Amino acid sequence: LSGITYLDHAGSALFPESLLKAFTDDLRDNVYGNPHSQNISSKLTYDTIEHVRYRILQHFHTTAEDYTIIFTSGCTAALKLVAEAFPWIPEGTKQPSSRFCYLTDSHTSVVGMRGITASMNVLCVPVKPKEMLLSEKNTLPPEEQNCTTPHLFSYPAQSNFSGIKYPLSWIQDIKSGKLCPSEIPGKWFVLLDAASYVSTSPLDLRVHQADFIPISFYKIFGFPTGLGALLVSNRIAPFLRKSYFGGGTAAAYLAGEDFYFPRKSVAERFEDGTVSFLDIIALKHGFDVLERLTGGMENIKQHTFALAHYTYTVLSTLKYANGAPVVRIYSDTDFSSPDVQGPIINFNILDENGEVIGFSQVDKMASLYNIHLRTGCFCNTGACQMHLGISNEDIRRNLQAGHTCGDDVDLIDGRPTGSVRISFGYMSTFEDAQTFLKFIIATRFSKSDIADPFQSSVTKLTTESAESPVQDDYSSCNNANKLAPRMRMLDRDLWDNSPATLKTVKGQPSGTKAGSIRAAVSERAVPTYRRGDKPITVTNIYLYPIKSCSAFEVAEWPVGNQGLLYDRNWMVVNQNGVCMTQKQEPRLCLINPSIDLKQNIMIIQAEVFWQSNFNSLLSHDRVKTYDCGERISGWFSTFLGRSCRLIRQSSDIKTNKHQKNTKGMAPATSISLSLVNEAQYLLINVASISHLKDHISARLEEPLEMQELIRRFRANLVISAPESFEEEEWAEISIGSLQFQVVGPCSRCQIICIDQQSGEQNKEFLQSLSAARGRKTNFGIYLMNQPLCSSFPDILSVGSQVLPVLKENPEIQPPLSSEEKCSG
């Protein structure tokens, strides 16, 4: 974790190396068979699993007499199991019907249980936290207190949004009738969602005897993932219902007749199929390592709260020179006690005027400092609405505007759609807290502000300490002396012997029918053309044959049905087949591919060898590709100092990413894309670059070259419109016989901070872009080609005139996808 500040422990804990070593040593020394078999290795597995069940019960201070452990794939699967198996009494029967109540500050997986209860004709009642505190008034008359209709109330022991710890005393108060979530006769059972709570706090089930406790083990140990459990009180277990029966759950059944008899054990009855037995065995080592490293959950509770309390105290006192607060913290407590507050801080950053800076912008800035945090609503819409003041109608309106859970649309009409969350775990250190605070100071204050001790609690956070935790190391690679200064893949046999043989297109590039993806320009009532005497022309054309490698500049180039011919047709992948980009590996920018159309070859050159520390991930889209061979992969692996391969897209990939279209445009169906992330082309304007250049130069206090900035933004087309950012008002453009539809803005990421000539990184560029654009990081527009029927190949040339059509609504549309939209 050198250089990384991990502050998403509420999302997942990190596993220690010693856990993996103990686990792999165990697997090396023992043979574990399927626990449903009867051989020696299977008996060892069965006995080990039963030992782990005991260890889990011991961890929660209870025994097998009171609780049963049912292994599941995670907390969500455990919640689903409860919803399906609870002995609900539906509406319409002679008995009073059941109710499913849940606290609105609950995870999506809890709220989603209502989908199952609704299908069983059981009413659902959401309860707000404030209403719960007033529910002591909901007492029932004596004649109704003997009703046995089962009801279920679910609430989190700790909010995954704000970190508030709801009283565990509610469990007994609800079961005894002292608290009543809904005024209806019956017997209440309690589901305690403990997934967030148990990651950093001890839970004593001898004292707080909830009926159902779902957990996920990766929240505690970091490994294994995909394994959870449902702790079920043995008082309710016999009444649970089950329809489906899988392998290992039947004592006996008939295949030709409707006869089935379940096993006696509650765990075996509900664990359909073979459990994930190796992962369960890993839990034993998780408990051992956690105890050895920390001394127990009480120590973890105190340690993580101390870090959260310190960070909260400093954050809450940070103020701008005008006295305005730097952050708005969403909290239900004052962080005075670990008994009521967990190690989670939820907030939004504000500017000097009190306006919220979007969480997506904060996330991008944090990535520059190698700080890993989480943004959005954290699968807890109820808490998000409560703290951010988002109404039900706002949620519906935001959805209609294109915002969905998990995307990066952070502001709509200036109002936040989510927030930023940091969380501490047992591995967190005081240095992690300080690094985060230094990041806030470095990005929100000028140097003169930082020099002044604006708050006594942060006087130690000086200008020097506010530097990035990421140290750039551009020392020579150890392999530099093994390779020639220039390396060309000119050998025709090399290409011919691999699937990556590059063949130029003779005649017209293959394309789709014009009518299938061409926007209906003629159907627009009155197209609004740009006014102005100065013509707009194309000044530069770039293609990037290998995704995230250096640009190849051309004066003219043929257009295929995926964009510029051979643009991003290749990419470098790691040993797991995941695309590598400059976010992970800045050295990619030093690899210079070029295409020789006459000789049918691609030339790959590299001149500089160096090292850096810069981590991130990009897209998860799946595309069909094939490998370019061992020799080329060996060259890339040697140059980058890590195992990787060069692969090429195998054929046209038809994509329907852009479901949302500009008003008046025909749907762009079956668009063909190469290995780009968003669209076929990316266009930037020289005037916009010049505007940004002046802004960045002033902040850096040093001059900048236009070409350096142009290269940083990795566009395909550079044009010379006279007004800066006027391209954002365009709906369509024509260049010669080619027509393009504007599909949205390009939301920039940290790749623009990398000098494309040297690979050096400077965080100021993304921060300056955000400042210059009013907290946005949009720069450039995406285009999709609308090919025309022609007997001649389409060619894009430098000097061609650009004819734009204005939008009916000139306001730029939000990004069309939640994915990071850097072209790579």
Side-chain angles (χ1 to χ4, degrees), residues 161 444 487 616 662 739 752:
F161 184 93
R444 298 315 310 155
M487 188 166 189
S616 183
T662 307
Q739 290 183 305
I752 68 168

Side-chain angles (χ1 to χ4, degrees), residues 290-348:
L290 193 71
E291 182 69 28
R292 177 172 55 82
L293 293 179
T294 68
M297 294 304 299
E298 182 62 33
N299 291 341
I300 294 175
K301 172 184 172 183
Q302 298 297 332
H303 169 70
T304 54
F305 175 76
L307 295 176
H309 179 266
Y310 165 74
T311 307
Y312 168 83
T313 302
V314 176
L315 273 182
S316 59
T317 56
L318 289 178
K319 297 185 185 301
Y320 291 105
N322 63 0
V326 175
V327 298
R328 178 181 297 153
I329 299 176
Y330 305 112
S331 176
D332 303 287
T333 77
D334 59 359
F335 281 73
S336 59
S337 169
D339 294 328
V340 297
Q341 177 65 47
I344 294 174
I345 305 175
N346 199 304
F347 61 95
N348 267 319

Side-chain angles (χ1 to χ4, degrees), residues 518-530 661-667 729-734 739-743 786 803-810 813:
R518 183 185 305 164
V521 179
S522 60
E523 296 179 7
R524 294 171 61 91
V526 182
T528 307
Y529 293 96
R530 173 187 174 275
N661 289 277
T662 307
K663 185 177 179 181
M665 299 295 178
E729 300 178 4
W730 300 345
E732 307 160 20
I733 66 170
S734 297
Q739 290 183 305
F740 301 88
Q741 178 179 334
V742 177
V743 294
Q786 304 161 39
L803 300 175
V805 176
L806 298 181
K807 290 180 181 179
E808 293 181 7
N809 179 3
Q813 298 298 315

Side-chain angles (χ1 to χ4, degrees), residues 732-767:
E732 307 160 20
I733 66 170
S734 297
I735 305 176
S737 63
L738 292 167
Q739 290 183 305
F740 301 88
Q741 178 179 334
V742 177
V743 294
C746 178
S747 179
R748 295 297 181 164
C749 66
Q750 61 263 42
I751 288 182
I752 68 168
C753 296
I754 300 172
D755 187 324
Q756 296 298 301
Q757 294 295 101
S758 67
E760 295 182 0
Q761 181 194 166
N762 188 330
K763 304 176 184 67
E764 186 61 41
F765 284 86
L766 188 60
Q767 296 180 71

Side-chain angles (χ1 to χ4, degrees), residues 188-247:
W188 283 95
F189 296 88
V190 177
L191 187 160
L192 183 71
D193 179 6
S196 178
Y197 182 90
V198 299
S199 63
T200 55
S201 298
L203 177 62
D204 191 339
L205 293 180
R206 293 172 303 184
V207 179
H208 309 292
Q209 298 183 356
D211 299 289
F212 305 97
I213 303 99
I215 58 175
S216 286
F217 291 107
Y218 74 93
K219 300 275 189 180
I220 306 173
F221 308 121
F223 176 86
T225 58
L227 180 66
L230 178 67
L231 283 74
V232 184
S233 170
N234 290 336
R235 292 183 294 274
I236 182 67
F239 301 100
L240 299 181
R241 302 167 180 170
K242 190 166 184 286
S243 301
Y244 175 80
F245 60 94

Side-chain angles (χ1 to χ4, degrees), residues 27 54 76 116 174 191 261 297 401 416 437 440 519 552 605 619 635 656 676 683 687 699 703 763 783 794 807:
L27 296 186
Y54 170 79
T76 296
I116 295 175
I174 290 170
L191 187 160
F261 196 83
M297 294 304 299
L437 293 169
I440 297 294
F552 174 42
Q605 304 178 102
S619 173
W635 185 87
N656 197 18
V676 296
L683 178 147
R699 288 175 65 108
K763 304 176 184 67
L783 306 175
D794 290 324
K807 290 180 181 179

Side-chain angles (χ1 to χ4, degrees), residues 700-741:
L700 290 177
E701 298 179 354
E702 61 183 52
L704 285 174
E705 296 292 334
M706 282 289 291
Q707 285 303 312
E708 177 191 346
L709 273 180
I710 289 174
R711 285 192 294 264
R712 285 178 182 268
F713 286 99
R714 297 179 63 80
N716 295 112
L717 304 176
V718 183
I719 53 108
S720 62
E723 299 294 331
S724 61
F725 304 110
E726 69 169 277
E727 65 274 14
E728 296 184 351
E729 300 178 4
W730 300 345
E732 307 160 20
I733 66 170
S734 297
I735 305 176
S737 63
L738 292 167
Q739 290 183 305
F740 301 88
Q741 178 179 334

